[in-house]
Amino acid sequence: MTAGASTISGGGLARRAMGAFLGGLLLLGVVVLVATTAVAAWPRFASTLLTDDLQYQVGQTQAVNRDLVTLVVTGGDLAGMPQSAAATWKAMPGALRSVRNGMKPDLRAVTAPGDYSARSDTIGIEPPAGAASNSRYGAILEAYGSLRDVSVLDTGAWPAPAPPTIRQGSVIEVVLSTAAAGELGWKVGESRGSSLGEDPISLKLVGTVHPKSAGADFWALDTERAHGLFADHGDGGKEYQGIAWVDPGSWPAIAPTIGSAMTAGWFPVRPSAFSVDRIDAVKGDLNNFLASAPSVSIDSVVTPLRFSTALDRTLDEFLTQAQPANTLFAILAAGPLGVAIAVLVLGVRLVLGRRRDALALMAARGGSPGRLRWGLALEGAVVSVPAAALGLAAALALTPRGGPVTVSIVAAVLCALTPPLVLAVAAGSLGPRDDLRGERAARRRWGWVVELIVVGLAVLGVVALFQRGIAPRDAGLGVDPLLAVTPILIALAACLVVLRIYAVPLGWLALSFRRRPGAVAYIGSTSAVRSRAGGLWPVFALVVGVSITVFSVSILSTERAGIEDGARARVGADLSVSAASTFTDQQVAQLQKVAGVVHTAVVEWAGGLQIQAGTIGGDLSGYLVDPKQLAVVEADLPERARISTALTSVIPGRTGAVIGGWSSQIPITSAILYAQTNVHLAVTEFDYKPGVYLWDAEWAIIDKTTLPADAGVTGKPNTVLIALAPGADAAKVHAALERIAGDGAKIGDAIQEQKTLRQAPLVSGLETIALISIALAALMCIGALFLTLVMNTASRTRLVATLRTIGFTSRQTAGLVGWELGPILVVGLIAGILVGLALPPIVLAPVDLSGFTGGPIAPDIVIDPVLVAVAAGAFALVTALATLIALAGARRRSPAAVLRAGGEE
């Protein structure tokens, strides 16, 4: 080794080179860390939110519609059914185990082990003393093995075993729910005469119970179990009925004496077991299970168990409501991601800008371009790979229930590999300065072609969205790439247009400032025209950040307005009050006079009506209304949700009707009401129930003002819809309505309905995602502006030092720094606001947001100018703070030191 030769190895030289530019690489690492965390966590957070909403929707479905239920009838003449109720009772546990073992794994995972009960038909029982002569009292005997596990004994004791042989005069001990015993007027210890078959027996009430959990499947499958049954048949008398539980071990002795018996088996569905990533598999397994009835052997008879459930419809409804969720989440994620790309490019430019002279020198001294690129890529990987790994770990920690990690890992790998690749590609030719200048000239020569392509793609995207319309309802939960990419293309096209035209008015300003006293404005505007503060990427970051913020604010405004409108559409007005049967005229008058009530509309119950539209129709629950009254209370409802509008927008000479519950393949516009004289109805179909007073699956609301009198269709007041006066206390009005309406009345409250709608995870989650999108976009914009200022630190510091040396004041130098970002800030804010205002009509038009509002109708787009102004002001404030920080950094350096350093270069 010769004297004075360097002993530093190649690795040491690489470490020294990295150390000299460590600041820029660390900034790049921070960008990768934040971007990876956001990109890797986003799909897992969206999956968690959709899973929570799926579980909520399944849990909200009543057990009678959710569980898989089968019914075996014995003692009748049904072919293929066993004849022995006792044998069926004994065989049912094994049959249910066999069926569940035969289920596909995904369906078995969301169901619990089978349960079963058996019951008789209704049997008459002795009425209590003093009962009306035309009142009827009855009981259903039921055996359920787990009754003690799901009930709380209020009074008395559990039933003792029945006699081994039921004969005339036998006494069977039973328990009733406390509510049903009250309806029947049956006291503990009291016996009532009845009969099983032809033998008179006595039923002795030995205890009363109430549900340990009202939501338990056993109680929810039949509400008569907990509450009993009461029906007022008017002149036909009143009917009282309850379910009486016998000792389950005695059912084989009781069953042979009751004739026909029904044994029900069911598989409880577990809402907490559902996940959005397995919903398609569960749907497929469920459809196959329902299509092929499993067969079991009962009493030596091969019996098919045909299960029924509405779970498939619940899953379809969830997919329809949540269909646009992933796409909308992707749009909200695209904003921060677009700004992150801009920050990444600026970070790479910062690193390359500081290494450019050194790289050119190494290239001039024989360094091969390939080796230099590999070196740059390695330096980028040294910071990007650990940063991406930390970001992935943070994302997984933030979303522990996010489901499969494959997408997040792929996203993290892309984030880790992007900086090295961009560094290697963006380094250019790595040749002499003449080659670099030639490369820049080539970029300028072809730049306008790229710009035209970007603008053209943005226009094509917008046209395609308008031509395509709303996505089909069976499109699934996948991301719509056109909807996700179009906002970024629009923002990028806006940036390119801004950069092409903004220099013109800025040049005019510079010329005007030239003729005015003072050098700050002229120097600042002239420098801004030449430099453009970093070109495309800072403008892109601002435009995307501001536009996604305005877009997110519009989504929040739309969601909140949609929840309010949806709640009123579900109730039918601000408030509604429905009687247990009907209201008297006196009650209606009292309801109308409640303080805070400004308008009312009476809905009359007309009983069952025979309405046919070709082969579709039958008995529908009929309601009569006055459209003029209804129009007043529906004034705050969206136009398409108003029954009054549908009733009056009809063919002259026909009676308007709104019908729901029909599953017609084509819209029905005409039907016949069969009454004393037939009535031609002009029909409008609703796919939801426009009022909580509508109980039946199929219903019709008819305009009573155009209904011919000779049709003989009349009604009695059943519901009063109420519009509140401005400033009225809804809670006080609600309480007053309950007092007047009496026991059994049902109150519909739009404010309470809003609270219920907000409980849906998808509704509340959209607000969270929109706020996260705004926060990430703002954070990334701060990073983009900071990197832009750091890139120009050296030239800015020299400029400030020179100006301070020749006598410029601190205020003047601050003004020059303000000119560095001021024009970009102004055009970025204006363009971002315009793009953000344009996005909702373009992007949300093909998206049905009713799943996010929980309402029955798609909400109208709402843009709140106050929130938009606040968002724009916040971004302006952030930029101003970044500018002040840059100025403070420039002022900390001594002017003499800066000039001395510049002279030595």
Side-chain angles (χ1 to χ4, degrees), residues 20 122 198 247 458 595 747 785:
T122 302
E198 297 179 356
D247 172 60
I747 308 293
L785 295 171

Side-chain angles (χ1 to χ4, degrees), residues 17-86:
M18 285 185 61
F21 303 100
L22 186 60
L25 290 173
L26 288 178
L27 284 174
L28 195 60
V30 171
V31 172
V32 173
L33 172 63
V34 175
T36 304
T37 302
V39 172
W42 200 276
R44 291 175 58 81
F45 181 78
S47 177
T48 300
L49 179 59
L50 289 173
T51 294
D52 289 344
D53 194 71
L54 172 59
Q55 294 175 357
Y56 175 81
Q57 298 296 345
V58 174
Q60 288 293 104
T61 304
Q62 295 179 355
V64 68
N65 295 322
R66 181 181 66 216
D67 291 351
L68 280 61
V69 181
T70 187
L71 193 66
V72 178
V73 180
T74 54
D77 297 326
L78 296 178
M81 287 292 178
Q83 296 300 307
S84 172

Side-chain angles (χ1 to χ4, degrees), residues 276-295:
V276 72
D277 57 294
R278 303 301 303 165
I279 187 173
D280 289 333
V282 171
K283 278 190 60 182
D285 290 354
L286 178 61
N287 290 334
N288 291 334
F289 178 78
L290 296 177
S292 56
S295 296

